[in-house]
């Protein structure tokens, strides 16, 4: 192995190892290895700092930077579980799922799937917490995903029940068990006005968040997280709309998507035409239908696809 | 007077880092600013407000891209997805040069998102220079590499940081982004004379200079970018301009960011150094004459990797 | 579902698409279709469009359950990636002024 690779692996293992509760570098790692010995093996001391202390600067810097990033992205989750449990959750998540992307934008991309396998970290509000994480990640995706040219009026004439319709890549659909969107907006507004200070008022407010979330009653909701004029919006939609849009996103034809929308639903047959007309008018106005993705079109023509 | 070939032979003046708290001020007041530097990674997205803002800025201002995660010094191969997105952004901004750091930060596909220090070894010189060349070939604009602040040194190092930096940029045939604040921070953390560093590096490759503030602790200094530039760093800047001639200069302010006017006023303090250098006819005197510029070079031996060093005149080795 | 019913529903969807596209055009363009009445990107454009959406989607029917209106969840831009150092005072004690 190259010396460079060896040093980088050894230093990364130390830097990415979790800090102690006092936010210092542990003297021993979880596997029993001595961080002191490892630091002395690769890092020179100077007249003021030991090898361990110099390595510790990077260890702390790594965690502070990544904690700050997740705190910014998931304030709603933090409000649900409380500060101390959120810290433990971040530490465990980043230990299991270190960043695999060149940009911190993607740091929370695996949080929902990871939390699904670790419900103990978000109990007794695991469903609520997972709903919040889904909404917070959908927001990140909707914020800076691609927006393609809208379907023009002249493209509409050829559409029939066998057509497939392309939706904006920045549109995200969520089926949630709790109406978390209002609470997330409150948390964001309050956090935004506090300049992320850790003063007493801020801590008290966060405790209030926990109580408020604990009192939230479950109520199924369906949300479209979308972008309009580069602002992200949370739009409540009907369950039938959610099913229909999900089917279109999955590549089903308009006819198939309509079948999926009303399968087992309670909407009377008489009400369905006006429901569909209103829904599609609404979505068209919001620019959710786009020109077909040329790459997708080419892929769909290849024999293997 | 054009600075050098690594910044497209342009004289950019004094810029500041484009930061979110200043968006509204810049777009509504349209202040006169020589240029803005953006963190590339924050705009390597597919759409939305980041690109909308960037496009509005581009309508009015010159923009130069500065990256934080290419990690030229990582033993890992380059990330193709990163490169593709970077090139797409380069086309959008029309950046005249592209900078990133002489450091590592990822290993085995895992990213620390930090600027970790290099072991100053010949193996690292080779790997780093090769990767810089690959990036330069791919993005098709001059690449310039920045010296980082560091808080640790490795036992295995075979040369000083300034020797390492010089070897890398010579072998990669790339430019340098000389961060005089980083030189100062590292000089305090590792106890060396910052002017030794500054006087050693090849001035003719310096395409851009960074200035910034830092935080002093009892036993070390941290490169926090949350203060005005300190007098000691201005002294280094003055010497850098003396050596390099008027050079594109950029103030970094990333934390506890004050108003736009405060940041811009701090950056514009650099103007007097640039003007005095221009009026004195300093246009990279040392870079053009090579009188004092020296590089550390490997003694060529066929089939072997020599660690023997010798000092050679820049002009004689190129 | 009967084929005739399916065709009817698809026609209703396409009709909605067309009316939505027409309504969008009326928000963004003058009657002649040449000069924009509202600048895209302005707050007035967004609010006018949303007003149209809500009026259109909720009028005179009880099947728009949950249509409490759209809410902006925006929290401004993000700029996470940077090259600043992050630190505290574990090793040294208090932070000293620069």
């Amino acid at each position: 192995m190259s010396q460079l690779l060896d040093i980088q692996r050894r230093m990364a293992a130390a830097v990415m190892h979790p800090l102690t509760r006092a936010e210092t570098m542990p003297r021993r790692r979880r596997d029993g290895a001595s961080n002191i010995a490892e630091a002395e093996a690769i890092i020179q001391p100077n007249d003021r700092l030991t090898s361990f202390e110099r390595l510790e600067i990077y260890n702390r810097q790594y965690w502070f930077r990544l904690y700050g990033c997740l705190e910014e992205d998931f304030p709603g989750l933090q409000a649900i579980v409380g500060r101390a449990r959120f810290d433990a959750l971040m530490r465990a998540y980043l230990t299991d799922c270190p960043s695999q992307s060149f940009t911190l934008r993607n740091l929370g991309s695996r949080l929902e799937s990871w939390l699904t396998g670790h419900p103990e970290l978000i109990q007794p509000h695991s469903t609520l917490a997972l709903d919040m994480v889904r909404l917070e990640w959908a927001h990140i995706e909707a914020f800076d995903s691609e927006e393609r040219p809208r379907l023009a009026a002249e493209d509409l004439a050829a559409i029939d029940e066998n057509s497939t319709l392309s939706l904006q890549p920045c549109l995200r659909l969520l089926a949630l068990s709790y109406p978390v969107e209002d609470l997330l907006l409150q948390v964001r507004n309050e956090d935004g006005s506090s300049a992320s200070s850790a003063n007493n008022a801020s801590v008290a407010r966060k405790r209030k968040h926990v109580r408020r979330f604990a009192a939230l009653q479950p109520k199924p909701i369906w949300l479209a997280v979308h972008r309009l004029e580069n602002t992200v919006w949370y739009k409540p939609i009907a369950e039938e709309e959610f099913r229909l849009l999900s089917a279109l996103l999955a590549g089903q034809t308009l006819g198939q998507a309509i079948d999926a929308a009303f399968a087992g639903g309670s909407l009377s047959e008489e009400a369905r035409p006006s429901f569909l007309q209103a829904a599609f008018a609404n979505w068209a106005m919001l620019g959710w239908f786009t020109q077909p993705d040329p790459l997708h079109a080419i892929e769909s023509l290849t024999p293997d696809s | 007077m054009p600075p050098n070939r690594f910044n497209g032979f342009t004289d950019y003046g004094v810029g500041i880092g484009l930061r979110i708290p200043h968006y509204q001020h810049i777009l509504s007041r349209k202040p006169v600013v020589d240029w803005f530097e953006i963190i590339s990674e924050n705009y390597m997205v597919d759409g939305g407000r980041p690109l909308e803002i960037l496009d509005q800025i581009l309508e009015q201002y010159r923009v130069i891209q500065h990256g934080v995660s290419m990690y030229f010094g990582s033993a890992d191969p380059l990330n193709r997805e990163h490169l593709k997105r970077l090139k797409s952004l380069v086309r959008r901004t029309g950046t005249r040069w592209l900078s990133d750091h002489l450091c590592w930060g990822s290993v085995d596909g895992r990213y620390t998102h930090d600027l970790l220090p290099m072991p100053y070894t010949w193996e690292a010189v080779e790997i780093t220079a090769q990767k810089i060349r690959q990036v330069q070939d791919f993005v098709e604009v001059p690449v310039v590499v920045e010296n980082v602040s560091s808080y640790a040194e490795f036992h295995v190092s075979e040369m000083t940081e300034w020797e390492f930096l010089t070897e890398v940029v010579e072998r990669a045939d790339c430019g340098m982004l000389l961060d005089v604040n980083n030189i100062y921070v590292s000089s305090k953390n590792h106890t060396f004379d910052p002017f030794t560093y500054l006087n050693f590096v090849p001035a003719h490759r310096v395409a851009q200079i960074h200035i910034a503030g830092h935080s002093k602790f009892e036993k070390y200094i941290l490169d926090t970018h949350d203060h005005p530039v300190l007098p000691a760093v201005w002294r280094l800047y003055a010497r850098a301009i003396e050596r390099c001639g008027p050079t594109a200069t950029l103030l970094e302010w990333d934390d506890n960011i004050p108003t736009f006017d405060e940041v811009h006023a701090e950056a514009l303090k650099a103007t007097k150094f640039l003007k005095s250098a221009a009026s004195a006819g300093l246009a990279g005197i040392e870079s053009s004459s090579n009188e004092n510029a020296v590089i550390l070079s490997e003694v060529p031996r066929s089939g072997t990797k020599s660690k023997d060093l010798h000092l050679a005149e820049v002009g004689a080795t190129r | 579902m009967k084929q005739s019913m399916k065709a009817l529903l698809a026609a209703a969807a396409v009709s909605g698409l067309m009316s939505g596209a027409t309504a969008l055009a009326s928000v963004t363009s003058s009657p002649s279709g040449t000069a924009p009445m509202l600048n895209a990107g302005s707050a007035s454009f967004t609010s006018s469009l949303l007003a149209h959406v809500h009026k259109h989607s909720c009028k005179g029917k009880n099947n728009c359950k949950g249509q409490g209106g759209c809410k902006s969840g925006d929290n401004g831009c993000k700029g996470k990636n940077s090259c600043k150092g992050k630190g505290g005072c574990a090793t040294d004690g208090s932070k000293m002024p620069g």
Side-chain angles (χ1 to χ4, degrees), chain B residues 20 23 39 41-42 49 66 68 101 115 215-220 222-227 230 252 254-255, chain C residues 41 74-98:
Chain B
I20 292 164
Y23 279 176
I39 301 294
E41 286 78 358
N42 291 334
R49 188 168 299 157
H66 180 53
V68 295
H101 299 82
L115 309 173
S215 295
K216 286 182 183 170
F217 292 80
E218 189 184 337
K219 295 180 180 176
Y220 63 95
L222 207 56
D223 179 34
T224 46
H225 296 180
D226 59 352
H227 284 85
L230 273 87
E252 294 181 296
D254 293 295
D255 221 342
Chain C
D74 216 345
N75 200 28
C77 267
K78 298 182 189 265
K80 292 187 169 61
N81 302 286
S82 84
C83 48
K84 68 185 172 192
K86 298 278 281 184
C89 46
T91 309
D92 288 318
S94 62
K95 184 171 173 177
M96 295 164 68

Side-chain angles (χ1 to χ4, degrees), chain A residues 24 49 53 56 60-61 64-65 69 72-73 102-104 139 143 150 156-157 159 161 181-182 185 188 228-236 238 240-241 254-255 258-259 262 267 269 271-273 275-278 280-282 284-286 289, chain C residues 1 3 5-10 12-21 23-24 40-42 45-46 49-50 52-53 56-57 61 63 65-78 80-82 84-91:
Chain A
T24 59
L49 295 168
E53 288 169 333
E56 184 182 44
R60 287 160 53 81
Q61 191 156 256
F64 292 168
R65 178 174 282 113
C69 182
E72 186 183 336
D73 282 350
F102 60 87
T103 171
L104 284 167
H139 182 114
F143 178 74
R150 295 171 179 185
L156 302 176
I159 294 174
E161 65 181 86
E181 78 278 19
D182 283 335
L185 294 174
R188 283 189 182 276
L228 182 63
E229 295 299 308
N230 286 330
T231 294
V232 175
W233 296 83
Y234 307 154
K235 178 176 169 52
E240 289 84 355
E241 290 179 283
L254 178 59
I258 290 171
D259 283 348
F262 299 124
L267 196 64
E269 287 201 2
R272 290 176 186 179
F275 174 89
L276 284 171
Q277 189 174 20
F280 273 83
N282 190 329
M285 274 194 280
L286 292 171
F289 296 106
Chain C
M1 191 183 293
Q3 199 56 36
M5 184 62 180
K6 207 168 177 179
L8 175 70
L9 292 178
V14 175
S15 160
L17 263 174
M18 288 176 167
S19 67
L24 178 62
S42 69
F45 172 82
T46 302
L49 188 53
L50 288 174
H52 264 73
V53 168
H56 191 95
S57 62
K61 55 188 168 56
N63 58 2
K65 56 189 172 185
Q67 292 275 16
C70 306
K71 298 169 187 115
S72 166
D74 216 345
N75 200 28
C77 267
K78 298 182 189 265
K80 292 187 169 61
N81 302 286
S82 84
K84 68 185 172 192
K86 298 278 281 184
C89 46
T91 309

Side-chain angles (χ1 to χ4, degrees), chain A residues 67-80:
Chain A
Y67 283 164
C69 182
L70 290 180
E71 283 168 1
E72 186 183 336
D73 282 350
F74 299 98
L77 176 62
Q78 182 176 338
I80 290 172

Side-chain angles (χ1 to χ4, degrees), chain B residues 122 158-159 163 296-299 306-311:
Chain B
W122 288 109
E158 298 165 314
M159 62 193 94
E163 291 165 347
L296 199 60
S297 180
E298 216 173 345
V299 174
S306 169
K307 291 177 182 173
D308 296 337
L309 310 173
H310 77 280
L311 295 174

Side-chain angles (χ1 to χ4, degrees), chain B residues 63-215:
Chain B
V63 167
I64 295 297
Q65 286 180 226
H66 180 53
V68 295
S69 59
M70 186 55 75
Y71 299 142
F72 296 124
S74 282
D76 276 3
L78 292 165
N79 179 330
R80 302 297 296 178
E81 171 69 9
H82 187 174
L83 281 172
K84 277 193 276 186
R85 285 183 175 269
L86 185 62
K87 187 165 185 174
S88 169
L89 187 64
V90 163
R91 287 178 175 153
R92 190 179 204 109
T93 64
T95 187
R96 298 298 296 271
W97 68 94
L98 182 71
S99 62
D100 208 314
H101 299 82
L102 184 57
C103 71
W104 68 281
S106 60
V107 65
D108 298 322
R110 294 178 303 159
Y111 285 73
T112 66
H113 300 282
D114 201 349
L115 309 173
L116 299 176
M118 297 297 298
Y120 306 130
T121 64
W122 288 109
E123 182 202 14
V125 166
E126 276 186 29
I127 290 171
T128 308
Q130 185 182 25
K131 288 177 74 175
I132 293 169
R133 279 184 179 274
Q134 288 171 354
V135 173
Q136 198 156 241
D137 289 347
F138 187 83
V139 297
E140 299 178 298
V141 290
V143 167
V144 311
V145 295
E146 177 184 354
N147 56 297
V148 297
S149 287
S150 64
Y151 317 106
E153 302 160 289
F154 294 97
H155 289 300
V156 297
S157 285
E158 298 165 314
M159 62 193 94
T160 63
E161 182 185 339
W162 49 95
E163 291 165 347
F164 180 79
L165 171 61
T166 304
E167 281 296 331
V168 168
V169 297
E170 291 292 345
R171 288 179 187 225
D173 192 23
C174 67
M176 287 173 47
L177 196 176
L178 198 62
D179 189 319
V180 289
N181 178 60
N182 287 348
I183 292 178
Y184 179 80
V185 169
S186 293
S187 76
K188 292 300 174 191
N189 290 338
H190 308 314
T191 318
F192 62 77
D193 178 359
F195 288 95
T196 303
Y197 190 134
L198 195 51
N199 290 334
F200 188 89
V201 295
H204 66 291
R205 290 186 181 274
V206 177
Q208 183 186 332
I209 297 176
H210 267 173
I211 48 177
H214 56 252
S215 295

